[in-house]
Amino acid sequence: MKISVDYPRCEGHGLCTEQAPAVFALDDDAQLNYRFEGADVPEEYVTVARAAVDSCPVAALREQS
């Protein structure tokens, strides 16, 4: 599973970081850090990563096929 992030759309709400802290983090300026940029999300994080995608209130995260 890969996730695409629309960084300009992200408003830094942090719901994704609550759902999947091993996958997403916000820096001190509320800028999103996606730890698996350009790579597959490791299998052990797929369930929480999907929950994070679903939780984004501005649809800045999308699961790629």
Side-chain angles (χ1 to χ4, degrees):
M1 158 191 197
K2 287 188 179 184
I3 296 174
S4 64
V5 180
D6 185 344
Y7 289 98
R9 178 173 263 195
C10 177
E11 295 178 352
H13 293 280
L15 298 176
C16 62
T17 64
E18 292 174 10
Q19 293 292 320
V23 180
F24 301 100
L26 292 177
D27 67 15
D28 292 339
D29 296 320
Q31 298 299 308
L32 184 63
N33 177 8
Y34 172 43
R35 295 188 170 121
F36 302 106
E37 187 73 47
D40 287 335
V41 173
E43 190 62 37
E44 63 266 27
Y45 300 128
V46 167
T47 300
V48 294
R50 282 193 176 117
V53 168
D54 292 342
S55 74
C56 183
V58 296
L61 306 173
R62 295 191 190 268
E63 183 177 346
Q64 295 179 325
S65 316

